[in-house]
Amino acid sequence: DMLILNMEFNPKEKYVCLLAPSFVTEYEYPDIVYRLRMLGFDKVMEVTFGAKMTNLTYYSILKDSIDKGEKKTWIASPCPTIVNFIRVKYPHLVQNLVPGHSPMGCMGLITRKMYPNHKIVFIGPCMTKKMEAGETGAVDFVLTFRELEELFVEKSIPENVIEEKYL
């Protein structure tokens, strides 16, 4: 279930955190990495590389369209809220959505290849990423920053981790 609020880390599993680049608006670096390790993540990865992969995919698709002489108006959005808005309100424009994964989706697929035995958890500000994860299966779980903060409080994880094993 993607609507996990009280995510429990199974000690028999390993977890990779995919952290949205916007984490800097809420958390200090590198403290957030230490806190996530203390929470139970084996690996912490930032999603910017996934954004680069999304951009390369978009570039390739748009260049191919132009090279073919297509006069198509493309809509490029990795935002599941926008994509679903188009699906519901403007279904005739769905064909104009650039096919391809969002940065979360790209990074999820890359992470699955790198760490096939880990559970993948995306953490970011947007609740609709849960919907995207449910549709694509690119990640196993999605937590919002608010949910993450609730977990930090619930697990008594301090803002400044000083235990050597998490640094």
Side-chain angles (χ1 to χ4, degrees):
D1 182 26
M2 292 296 151
L3 298 175
I4 297 212
L5 292 176
N6 296 318
M7 184 181 159
E8 287 296 326
F9 286 87
N10 180 342
K12 295 177 183 172
E13 298 276 0
K14 288 187 176 184
Y15 295 86
V16 176
C17 170
L18 301 184
L19 194 56
S22 56
F23 80 88
V24 296
T25 65
E26 301 287 327
Y27 301 102
E28 294 292 323
Y29 178 84
D31 295 328
I32 184 61
V33 176
Y34 307 147
R35 293 175 82 192
L36 289 164
R37 287 182 188 155
M38 194 172 189
L39 189 59
F41 286 100
D42 182 50
K43 308 280 183 200
V44 178
M45 302 169 73
E46 208 256 353
V47 179
T48 302
F49 183 73
K52 181 153 182 92
M53 295 298 98
T54 297
N55 289 342
L56 289 172
T57 300
Y58 283 2
Y59 174 79
S60 175
I61 290 167
L62 297 177
K63 183 178 182 320
D64 187 47
S65 177
I66 291 167
D67 289 349
K68 289 179 182 173
E70 294 178 343
K71 301 280 187 212
K72 186 171 186 174
T73 300
W74 288 99
I75 303 168
S77 179
C79 171
T81 303
I82 298 294
V83 171
N84 285 311
F85 177 73
I86 290 169
R87 286 179 184 160
V88 172
K89 294 289 186 182
Y90 302 99
H92 63 283
L93 294 177
V94 168
Q95 65 187 0
N96 295 72
L97 289 168
V98 178
H101 286 287
S102 71
M104 177 189 83
C106 286
M107 202 64 199
L109 294 173
I110 292 165
T111 304
R112 282 217 191 281
K113 286 189 186 281
M114 292 175 63
Y115 303 105
N117 299 318
H118 285 62
K119 295 286 184 191
I120 302 170
V121 182
F122 175 81
I123 300 176
C126 183
M127 184 180 288
T128 58
K129 286 296 192 183
K130 294 172 187 276
M131 197 167 35
E132 177 187 343
E135 287 179 10
T136 66
V139 300
D140 298 303
F141 304 103
V142 173
L143 294 172
T144 64
F145 289 149
R146 179 176 293 164
E147 292 165 340
L148 177 63
E149 199 55 43
E150 290 172 13
L151 280 174
F152 285 153
V153 169
E154 180 185 318
K155 304 294 183 188
S156 302
I157 295 177
E159 285 192 29
N160 297 304
V161 175
I162 56 173
E163 293 177 53
E164 191 68 34
K165 68 179 179 179
Y166 300 114
L167 302 180

